[in-house]
Structure formats: structure tokens, C-alpha cells
């Protein structure tokens, strides 16, 4: 993205409600405009996350998803309509961003992120928000984030529960996502929402919360809101409803972040 030291005048009105917040301000909004976020998964989490990241003025967004829109997605994947059924999710999401705010840079990649291609796909990103639906992909993303020193916001949801956490395993005293889940989940054998069900609004809660945490990371050091809360996992309970927070310890034997720093 082209370097800029201030927001263009025509953008000030669009983001006025951010700029008047002392915790964001003009400096924070400019930081958002300079940020490149890689968003993994355009499903129940990625849809609302993208809508609020685009609304926040994230200047460059890369979208990754290998799936196509199905009718059963419409219950929770708020980007899509009946007319999108059969389309690549990444491409449909890209079209949505271009309609919503033509000033944003957006590109889509209709492919699955793997351990083999993650480094290439993450190149140039300032931050990754992962809302995919399987552990193998999540761990591939996390491992690559550590290797490339890119912060990771991870958001997940199932039935009436969600979890959102920020990870910076490339920092000496911070855990990575693998410190949290371990090595047992590299296989693709996790449950799916097709089997277990999911409340659509629950996916929205996790997705928008993930977007908020990504904004925290993006403005770190440039606005008061920028507390990335590294290693804190927020557990969302839609049945009570309620939320609690737990801290993830760095695993000294973690094969990803401990070996990367050894």
C-alpha cells in the first residue's frame, strides 16, 4: 500500500465515529488504513469479521477460502445471499468488499492454506485472523505465523460456544496457538457444524469479537485501544450467556515457538 501520513479528506467523514474516540483517534485510524490483514476462512466467523474489518477501514485485506457457497451457509454466513450459491466464497467476499468500500485493497485466493503454502500466502501480512473450521489448517497457519513473526488472532465457534485469542509466539515470553492445543490436532478429524449444529448468532458473536481483537493488535503502540492481550483466550458461552478469560502458558517444549526461539 502506498505510504501516507494522514487520511485523505474524503475518508474523514466515513471514519468520524472512530476518530472522535480518544482510544482510537486519527492516529489509530491511520494505523488501520495502513494495516494488511490476512483473513483465513470466509464462513460463519469470517463473514462478520470481514464486514467489521472493512467497516473499520483496514486498508488491505487478503481473503482465503477454498469452499463454495451452499444454501445451508446462509443461516450464519452473513456476506452471502441466495444469488451467491455455487460461487467461490473468497471471490464473493471480495466482490462484497469492493461494493462496500472501493477504496480498500482486497484480493481473494480460492485455495486452502496448508503447511506447504502458508509461508507464501502470509507474505506481507501484518496480522492474521483465522476463522477456519479445522485444526490442521489452524496449526499450519499458527506455525507459519511464528516462523514469519506475524501476530495471530484465532477465533472458533461451535454450537453455543466460542473462543477468541491473540497469539504472538514469535515473542520470547508469549505462547503460540500450538501451546494451547498441542500436537494431537494436526489430523483433520475434528467435528463439524453440519454434525453438531450451530446457532448463527453465536458465529456472529465470535466473528465480531475476533474483528475487535484484530483491531486491538493493528493499533498497538499507536492508540490507547491497542492492548493485544497476547496469550489471553476469551471463552464465549451463548447459553448462559457469559464470557470468561483464561491465560495460555507458553509451553517450553512446544515444537513451534520454543524451537523457533532456541
Amino acid at each position: 500500500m502506498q505510504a501516507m501520513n494522514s487520511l485523505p479528506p474524503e475518508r474523514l467523514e466515513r471514519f468520524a465515529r472512530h476518530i472522535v474516540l480518544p482510544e482510537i483517534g486519527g492516529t489509530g485510524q491511520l494505523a488501520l488504513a495502513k494495516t494488511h490483514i490476512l483473513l483465513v476462512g470466509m464462513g460463519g466467523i469470517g463473514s462478520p469479521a470481514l464486514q467489521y474489518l472493512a467497516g473499520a477501514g483496514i486498508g488491505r485485506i487478503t481473503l482465503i477460502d477454498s469452499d463454495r457457497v451452499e444454501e445451508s451457509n446462509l443461516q450464519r454466513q452473513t456476506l452471502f445471499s441466495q444469488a451467491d450459491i455455487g460461487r467461490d466464497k473468497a471471490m464473493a467476499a471480495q466482490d462484497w468488499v469492493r461494493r462496500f468500500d472501493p477504496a480498500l485493497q482486497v484480493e481473494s485466493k480460492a485455495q486452502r492454506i496448508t503447511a506447504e503454502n502458508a509461508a507464501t500466502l502470509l507474505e506481507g501480512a501484518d496480522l492474521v485472523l483465522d476463522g477456519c473450521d479445522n485444526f490442521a489448517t489452524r496449526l499450519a497457519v499458527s506455525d507459519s505465523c511464528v516462523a514469519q513473526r506475524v501476530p495471530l488472532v484465532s477465533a472458533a465457534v461451535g454450537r453455543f460456544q466460542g473462543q477468541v485469542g491473540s497469539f504472538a509466539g514469535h515473542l520470547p515470553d508469549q505462547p503460540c496457538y500450538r501451546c494451547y492445543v498441542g500436537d494431537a490436532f494436526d489430523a483433520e478429524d475434528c467435528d463439524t457444524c453440519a454434525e453438531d449444529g450451530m446457532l448463527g448468532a453465536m458465529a456472529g458473536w465470535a466473528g465480531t469479537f475476533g474483528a475487535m481483537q484484530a483491531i486491538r493488535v493493528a493499533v498497538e503502540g499507536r492508540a490507547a485501544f491497542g492492548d493485544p492481550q497476547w496469550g489471553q483466550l476469551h471463552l464465549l458461552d451463548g447459553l448462559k450467556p457469559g464470557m470468561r478469560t483464561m491465560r495460555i502458558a507458553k509451553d517450553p517444549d512446544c515444537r513451534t515457538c520454543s524451537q523457533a526461539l532456541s
Side-chain angles (χ1 to χ4, degrees), residues 63-120:
L63 311 172
I64 299 179
D65 197 305
S66 62
D67 290 342
R68 293 179 180 270
V69 180
E70 299 177 358
E71 187 166 13
S72 62
N73 299 152
L74 303 183
Q75 166 254 7
R76 64 199 177 281
Q77 298 181 18
T78 51
L79 282 174
F80 310 124
S81 69
Q82 193 81 13
D84 293 311
I85 292 175
R87 297 189 65 200
D88 289 328
K89 289 183 180 180
M91 181 60 70
Q94 174 181 276
D95 290 346
W96 180 90
V97 175
R98 289 177 173 168
R99 292 192 303 269
F100 177 76
D101 188 351
L104 303 182
Q105 293 186 28
V106 58
E107 63 177 328
S108 64
K109 298 182 183 296
Q111 63 187 106
R112 183 167 184 172
I113 192 166
T114 66
E116 289 71 33
N117 65 15
T120 300

Side-chain angles (χ1 to χ4, degrees), residues 16-67:
R17 301 303 186 273
H18 268 182
I19 293 170
V20 299
L21 290 169
E23 296 83 359
I24 301 290
T27 303
Q29 190 61 48
L30 183 60
L32 295 176
K34 292 181 176 181
T35 297
H36 176 194
I37 287 186
L38 181 77
L39 183 53
V40 182
M42 297 312 310
I45 290 173
S47 286
L50 174 60
Q51 290 173 309
Y52 278 97
L53 292 173
I58 298 295
R60 182 179 174 189
I61 307 173
T62 300
L63 311 172
I64 299 179
D65 197 305
S66 62
D67 290 342

Side-chain angles (χ1 to χ4, degrees), residues 207-239:
T208 53
F209 198 100
M212 186 174 71
Q213 296 304 90
I215 290 169
R216 287 186 187 275
V217 175
V219 302
E220 181 188 12
R222 286 162 285 190
F225 190 66
D227 173 11
Q229 301 181 348
W230 302 132
Q232 293 185 44
L233 188 72
H234 304 284
L235 305 175
L236 317 178
D237 187 335
L239 283 177

Side-chain angles (χ1 to χ4, degrees), residues 163-168 173-182 229-235 245-251 257:
Q163 52 184 242
V164 178
S166 301
F167 298 91
D173 57 342
Q174 297 297 340
C176 71
Y177 181 77
R178 191 178 286 275
C179 290
Y180 168 47
V181 301
Q229 301 181 348
W230 302 132
Q232 293 185 44
L233 188 72
H234 304 284
L235 305 175
T245 301
M246 59 183 288
R247 183 171 294 278
I248 306 301
K250 189 175 185 70
D251 181 359
C257 63

